[in-house]
Amino acid sequence: GRCLEVVGRKAAGAEEPAMKIDDRVEGLARDALDAAVKRDSAAFEAALRAFPNDEAVRDGVSLVLAVAAYIMTEIHGGRPNDAQVRAVAEKVASMEAWAGPTGDEVHGLLSRLLNSEPQSAPGEHVIVLAFVVTASLLASLHLKDEKWWNYLDRVEAAIERE
């Protein structure tokens, strides 16, 4: 709960200390994002199982949600309005049908994140949704001459500077 609340407040522009990214959790999160970008269900499930405990999972979810919030704010030149969030949510749901998220689920996740509302406790569905949505944003919105993982590097560097 607390990690996700901090991420939500940060997305809304509240002054928070810069996020320090744990290298071990970042590596595990990157593996899960890679599997989600590749839409490889078996590798994605294995990557999520590789997190050693609930705290690591919470930290991984906090990281990917911070990345999603940063991307959503960056692509819209500030905090997006509900119509913009809905448009992104529908696109993500359509592109990521392999994982089964609905437009409403993606919209709910992004809206809570961008409006500083806590996510529900990170149950399995919220965990999967957080990684799938963030992977989709990274894969579809990176610069033309850049790979998704270079975009992730750029976003993480910006998050740590904020």
Side-chain angles (χ1 to χ4, degrees):
R2 171 97 179 104
C3 294
L4 301 181
E5 291 168 27
V6 168
V7 170
R9 281 198 305 277
K10 189 156 186 89
E15 285 301 315
E16 290 287 337
M19 180 178 196
K20 178 67 184 129
I21 297 172
D22 178 319
D23 290 339
R24 197 175 57 105
V25 169
E26 195 278 342
L28 294 168
R30 191 173 286 256
D31 290 346
L33 289 169
D34 183 60
V37 166
K38 293 174 181 171
R39 298 180 172 98
D40 183 335
S41 298
F44 181 60
E45 289 172 20
L48 292 180
R49 282 195 307 272
F51 282 86
N53 54 45
D54 289 347
E55 181 183 3
V57 171
R58 276 192 304 276
D59 290 348
V61 169
S62 290
L63 173 58
V64 298
L65 288 177
V67 168
Y70 185 90
I71 292 171
M72 288 293 292
T73 303
E74 181 183 60
I75 65 170
H76 293 100
R79 189 166 140 202
N81 64 38
D82 190 62
Q84 292 168 318
V85 174
R86 173 68 63 191
V88 170
E90 293 301 331
K91 182 177 177 190
V92 167
S94 172
M95 290 189 316
E96 307 307 331
W98 69 274
T102 67
D104 286 341
E105 289 169 334
V106 176
H107 177 261
L109 179 96
L110 291 173
S111 292
R112 285 187 299 276
L113 178 62
L114 294 164
N115 290 318
S116 307
E117 299 166 10
Q119 300 293 337
S120 53
E124 186 176 344
H125 188 71
V126 171
I127 294 165
V128 168
L129 194 59
F131 279 95
V132 168
V133 168
T134 303
S136 186
L137 294 174
L138 286 165
S140 63
L141 298 170
H142 61 81
L143 299 174
K144 199 180 332 189
D145 61 344
E146 150 182 86
K147 302 292 187 197
W148 73 264
W149 55 86
N150 298 126
Y151 188 25
L152 177 60
D153 292 341
R154 241 181 348 106
V155 172
E156 288 178 345
I159 289 168
E160 284 194 309
R161 277 195 309 271
E162 283 185 354

